[in-house]
Structures are given as C-alpha cells and as structure tokens.
Amino acid sequence: MTIEPGGRRQPDIFRQEIRAAVRYERGLVAKAAAVLVLVVVIVVLRTLYFS
Amino acid sequence: MEHVLIVGGEWILIALVFAGAVPELAMTCQFLLAACHAWRNDYGACEPIFPRTAVLIPAWNEGAVIGGSIDRLMAAEYPPQSLRVYVIDDASTDETPLVVKAKEAQYPGRVVHLRRDKGGQGKAHTLNHGLAVVLGDDWMEALLITDADVIFEPAALRTMTRHLADPAVGAVTCYIKEGSRPGNYLTRFIGYEYITAQAGARRGQNVLGAVACLAGGAQLHSRANLLALGGRIDTTSLAEDTFTTFETQLRGRRVVFEPHATCWAEEPGSIGGLWKQRLRWARGNVQVTIRYRRLWFRPSSTHRLGSVPFGLLWFCLFLQPVFMITSSAALLTLYFTAASRAWSAFHVLWITSAVTYIFITGFTLLIDPHMARRVWRQALLFPGVVNLAIILYICFPRLVGEAARWPFTAAGLSPPHVGWLIVFVYAWLGGSLALAYLAKVAEPRWAGRPLGVFLVYVAGYGQLLCACTFASYVKELRRAEMTWDKTEKTGKVTIPT
C-alpha cells in the first residue's frame, strides 16, 4: 500500500489526530458518568420526595 | 393446585410485562459499552496509509446530486493519484449521464462513467457491475462503496483508510449524519436516530468486536476482503450491506466503525418515503436473521457474531415490536385478573423505561453536541408525547396527578373515572404501534400531512420504526415481492460550517 505520500508532515498530523480521537473517546466516559449521576439524582428525588 | 397455577400464571404475565423493557435495557448496555470505546478501540493499529482507492457510486437518476458528490470526493484530503471515482449509471433516464460525462472531462483519469444498458435490478447488481471493472486490474487496493447523495467531509476517507493498515481489518464504516437543509421534523428525528444508531450503538459494537452493519452509503473494503467475498455483493436480499458485513466477519476479518470520519446524507422528508426505506432495511434484517440462523448464540474463535452479547443485542432490537405487544397484552390480562399486581408491574416497567430514556437521550446528545443543537427537541420527543406523559407521571406521580386533576377541580367538576385511563395506558405500548402505522396511512390522504406529523409526535418516531419492523415480519411471512424502492434524493445536503 502507498505509505505516507503527504510528505514529512503527514505522520505528525496523523499522531495529533489519533491523540485527539482518543481524548474525545475518554471525554465520552465522563459524559456517560455525568448522565448516570443525573439518573441517580432523579431516582433518589423521586423515591424521597415525589413517590 | 388451582391456586399454584394461578400464581404461576401471574408470574409469567409479570415476566412478559417486563419483556417490554428488554429492548431499552439492551440499548442502554450498548451505550455503556460505547463509553468503554476509550479503552477498546482500533487506534493502536492505525497507520497513516493512503491505499489506491476506487470509489463506487451506483446511480439511477441521480442528476440532482451526483455532480456535487463527485466534486466533494475530488476535494478530499487524499493523494489525487490514489483516488478514482467510478459512477455506475444504472440506465438512468435523467441528466445523470451528462453530469457524469462532464465530471469525467473535468477530472480526466480520476472519474470514470460506467453505464449499464439495462437497469432497475437493484443496488447490489449495479455494484457488481462496478466491482467486476475495478477488480479487473490490480490498481485498486481499497474500495469505498457510497451513494450518490453522500457528501464526505475532506478528512473522512484518509481517517477511514488508516484502519486498513491492520490486515485483520477487512472493512471500515464511518459516521453518516443526516444533512438535509433546511430539513423538516422528520429529517431531524432521523438526525437524532443516527446519533443513537451510529455514533452511540456502533461504538458499542466496536467494543464488542462485532459490528451489525456497514452503512450502505459509506463502506471501505480492503482488496483482500473483497476477493475473499468472491468479488461480488449478495444479490438475493434487500440488505446487501448487512450481508457483506456478516460475510466479512465470518471469514475472520474485522469490521470497524470509525466515529471520527464523517459524511452527510439526505434522508426521506416524508413518512411514506421513510416507510419504504425502513421496510426495505427491516425486511433485509429478517432475511439476515433467517439466513444466519445457525450462527446465533454459537461463539466462535473466528468471529464475534455468534457471541451471546451480540446475539442478545440483535434479537432485542429485532423483536422489539413483539416485546411491546406482548407486554401490553400481559398488562391488560393482569389488570382483569390481578389488578394490584398489574399496577406494580406497570410501575416497574415504566420506571425502567424512564431510567433508560433519560440515560440514552442524555448521553446521545452529549456524544454529538453539534448535531444535538439541531435535534434536541426531536430527541426529547423521540418516544412520543403519550410515552413522555407516562414517564413524567412515573417519575413524579403526585405532581402529575394533581396537575391532571386541576382543570376539573377548577371548573367545579369531578375528575373522570380512571378505569378507562388505566386500560388505555396499559394498552399503549402495543397500541402506539397501530397509531404510528396510522400516521403512514394518513399522510397521502387529504389533510394527511399535518395529521401524519401530529400522529408521529403523539405515537413517537421510535414507534413508527417499530411498526415498520412489524410490517416487515408480515411482508416476509407473506413472501411479498422484493422491490428496490429507491429513496428520492433532491440535493438538499449541505455540510454545516
């Protein structure tokens, strides 16, 4: 296969983009956790005050 | 003895009621897996490679969209000498040949017009015509199959090809977003659905190691994978993309979803158009389920399609209408035999629904905040107004109960008897499918369009899709003719800045 035809910059761009992608994926963990906390808060409020 | 039978029967009914929440629980599990994509992904094996890529675009009367799509592909961040576009013109009767010929002249050697004299056999036949040409010599190292209306973001292709550096990867798909502008309520529902079904669910499938479907409009294959598939696409079903996905994985190659490669597609703006498209997809899924009947729940060392978690995910969604109807029927039976148990079962069912709804909706909107700004209203109303009211009641029973009674007490009237309301609410899960189907029936009739919109919002867009899945069972049981109803494209796709 054709490897790195974009000149010397290509591997640098590639590494930056992979790092950004992995960072985004890690951010999703925090987002999922935040939504789970929201769910727990609603369930607790419902159980304590609104049932 | 009789008492034991009654109690046993009640527990069976209660279990059937809870079955109504199983598809949502499965979806929630898939989203929890998606959150693990940070640790279990394919980025470690990626390399910045640019294989010589042929793009196959099947086109039948795509004059309105094909020119723009070719221009966008030519502007991709990809070495020009390593990218060729082959348009397989399926005997178009509009200006498609003229547009493609003009692009051939504009991009000499990079755009190729292939014409079939006899068309209308379906997408798979058209693709096979192109495959025979691109596999005829050894120039092509990778093949991108796409649709005439799909517009790729400049970095999408090179972001996808990176995965082919790993010889274990046979095919890569990307994140297709709904791009009709200005669009309407339905395209925004689809926009939200695509975040859940692709950016969310397919991340989860990456983590599982088994992907259910390469998007028909964006599938990149290595040459080795195509050759292993026999150099042809399955022509015997309506879901050629799902068959290709399964066959790729069955032969031991992985399929990867790349969420950071994005393209935009035009989706139906009418219920009738959506129904035709989804009925084709759903019938294809029935065919896949039957064709691979010996695969399910049989783990293999070659692939993960037979794993128990993947099988559960597949069948929970595939059988969603059955679960919904069964749940409602069981609730109603319990209501007339053991009303207090029915009330408890109803609460547990809907508390589960409420929790999964809040989690899936919240997480989906956070996965793609840019798209979320456009579709958040449809995200909230995805299950329909009635479902939302039930969820609100379940979360805040006293508040909602008092609010519902207020108009009557303010007018000095006594609130209506709740018996019928309970029957209605118990029957709703299954009944909403019928109402959603009514939206499809009403749309082409007089004043049907506003009525259709109203019914979709009341019954729920999700229910419309479930009704379509149910209709696909019926069509397959009746062995109805398989017709390729092409989705009409008008060139409304724009990439938001």
Side-chain angles (χ1 to χ4, degrees), chain B residues 210 250 295-300 303-311:
Chain B
L250 286 173
L295 168 106
W296 305 113
F297 303 107
R298 292 192 174 113
S300 158
H303 58 82
R304 302 293 307 275
L305 293 173
S307 68
V308 174
F310 183 75

Side-chain angles (χ1 to χ4, degrees), chain A residues 2 17 24-25 31 46 50, chain B residues 158 162 260 367 394-395:
Chain A
T2 321
E17 286 180 351
Y24 188 88
E25 300 301 317
K31 289 175 178 181
R46 194 257 182 216
F50 298 107
Chain B
R158 65 176 173 81
R162 290 168 179 172
H260 301 282
I367 286 176
I394 285 295
C395 289

Side-chain angles (χ1 to χ4, degrees), chain B residues 127-142:
Chain B
L127 284 173
N128 282 334
H129 184 90
L131 270 172
V133 173
V134 295
L135 286 169
D137 60 39
D138 57 5
W139 183 86
M140 183 269 287
E141 293 171 321

